[in-house]
Amino acid sequence: MQLKKIKIGNLETPNNVFLAPLAGYTNAVFRSMCYGLGAGLTVTEMVSAKGLCYANEKTEDLLYVPADYGGIKACQLFGSDPQIMRRAAESCAVAPFDIVDINMGCPMPKIYNNGEGSALMNNLPLAEKIISSVKKSGKTVSVKFRIGLDAQHINVCEFARMCEGAGADMITVHGRTRDKIYAGEVDFDAVARAKNSVVIPVIANGGVFSKADAENLIEKTGADGVAVARGAMYSPWLFAEITGGEVPDKKGLILKQLEDTLALYGERFACVFMRKMIAFYLKGTKNSSCVRVKLFQAATTQEVKDILNSLDL
């Protein structure tokens, strides 16, 4: 695919291959690792605007950014109250971030049934108020959404034009309907129609697990860039492969992730999180099922490290 810089408001990314927000995964260490591997933009996992406004400590922890992070800083907020969303965007916790990405695509019932995430695709007037309110915070604003709620309610073009009119500087379109969650084929044509409906940058999301997938997504949608989600969970070095960078020693990369996660989040979190991540990284490798059993029996990060060191990656 053709690599290019993306202008988002007054900001400019080094390339057009982004790390999408992933709830439970895109913590500070993972974002820094993906940025180092070539991601042009990384976004925090989604953060509750209400949680920020009511100073929820766990919510604020999601927004930690390492002092040496060199890229554009972007956080994702979700909520359905325009004023709460603006207050969150203006909060001290969000102050270090250059971009506020508004989640209007999460399909999970807990979010959807609360009128947040993809539920907002069924309420354009409210979605418009949220975007314009967050824009008043002075932040550069992007919006991530889906092509519609289901096959009978695809409104991606109308929604894209609404986002642009409300002041969004960029949109990211996940090429599936809400009812598909993360399954099924990406609707390239729907994303292409959204791209042709607006002037602001359009990033395509969905189904990128290889360089060929990224190239195919760009070719068939005409989007300005791609956002890699679950593909990054399985192969964070995918960013290097797509951007033409050097793919590092994978074992060394994962060991560093473990050490950095331990240093920042502590033993318990690092052990549980890295067991999960290494299981993802092992998908498709020889004897991966047996190794996963050992991994999930590991009670300490040292045990996790010992298992990792025994592998031929």
Side-chain angles (χ1 to χ4, degrees):
M1 60 175 280
Q2 181 184 359
L3 296 177
K4 64 179 182 180
K5 297 178 180 180
I6 299 290
K7 195 142 179 7
I8 313 170
N10 294 322
L11 304 167
E12 189 173 72
T13 67
N15 64 48
N16 54 343
V17 184
F18 299 167
L19 170 67
L22 290 159
Y25 296 97
T26 51
N27 58 44
V29 174
F30 189 73
R31 296 196 310 273
S32 292
M33 180 173 68
C34 291
Y35 176 72
L37 288 165
L41 183 72
T42 71
V43 188
T44 69
E45 50 192 297
M46 65 179 190
V47 172
S48 166
K50 283 184 180 178
L52 278 181
C53 288
Y54 294 105
N56 182 294
E57 186 176 336
K58 186 174 289 187
T59 299
E60 292 187 2
D61 286 345
L62 297 175
L63 296 175
Y64 177 79
V65 181
D68 60 352
Y69 185 83
I72 294 170
K73 301 175 183 69
C75 70
Q76 187 181 76
L77 300 180
F78 75 93
S80 58
D81 184 314
Q83 293 309 310
I84 292 289
M85 288 289 284
R86 179 177 177 179
R87 280 177 55 195
E90 293 174 343
S91 68
C92 292
V94 175
F97 291 89
D98 309 295
I99 297 174
V100 169
D101 183 61
I102 304 173
N103 184 311
M104 294 189 174
C106 180
M108 293 297 106
K110 182 179 178 181
I111 302 295
Y112 180 85
N113 293 335
N114 204 34
E116 301 167 331
S118 59
L120 291 164
M121 294 202 70
N122 200 36
N123 191 340
L124 269 70
L126 177 56
E128 184 175 22
K129 287 178 183 176
I130 290 171
I131 296 167
S132 59
S133 291
V134 173
K135 187 69 176 178
K136 288 173 184 174
S137 70
K139 295 287 186 182
T140 298
V141 174
S142 62
V143 185
K144 189 170 188 289
F145 56 95
R146 290 181 169 242
I147 60 173
L149 296 182
D150 54 44
Q152 289 71 47
H153 300 89
I154 293 179
N155 60 341
V156 65
C157 294
E158 183 184 4
F159 204 84
R161 287 191 291 267
M162 178 278 295
C163 290
E164 183 176 55
D169 299 288
M170 182 181 77
I171 58 175
T172 300
V173 183
H174 183 131
R176 297 184 179 93
T177 51
R178 182 259 165 181
D179 63 325
K180 297 294 185 184
I181 310 294
Y182 302 108
E185 297 298 317
V186 170
D187 189 332
F188 300 114
D189 185 58
V191 180
R193 294 198 305 272
K195 166 60 185 170
N196 293 329
S197 298
V198 296
V199 175
I200 57 175
V202 176
I203 306 301
N205 173 227
V208 178
F209 293 91
S210 67
K211 182 177 181 179
D213 289 337
E215 292 171 341
N216 189 46
L217 189 57
I218 287 288
E219 180 184 346
K220 291 187 176 178
T221 65
D224 298 290
V226 297
V228 184
R230 288 174 299 146
M233 287 163 47
Y234 293 107
S235 309
W237 41 87
L238 180 55
F239 290 105
E241 293 171 356
I242 296 174
T243 60
E246 182 180 349
V247 178
D249 170 67
K250 293 175 183 177
K251 185 182 293 187
L253 181 76
I254 300 167
L255 282 169
K256 185 176 188 309
Q257 182 189 11
L258 190 156
E259 294 292 351
D260 291 349
T261 303
L262 176 61
L264 184 57
Y265 296 107
E267 171 68 26
R268 179 174 172 77
F269 177 91
C271 180
V272 173
F273 182 75
M274 289 306 299
R275 288 187 318 198
K276 179 172 62 175
M277 294 309 301
I278 295 169
F280 281 130
Y281 300 156
L282 291 175
K283 185 179 180 183
T285 61
K286 188 177 180 181
N287 299 322
S288 60
S289 296
C290 294
V291 177
R292 279 197 292 267
V293 171
K294 291 180 182 178
L295 265 176
F296 287 109
Q297 291 175 342
T300 67
T301 52
Q302 185 58 53
E303 289 178 48
V304 174
K305 189 184 298 185
D306 291 342
I307 293 169
L308 182 57
N309 278 322
S310 71
L311 301 177
D312 182 20
L313 295 176

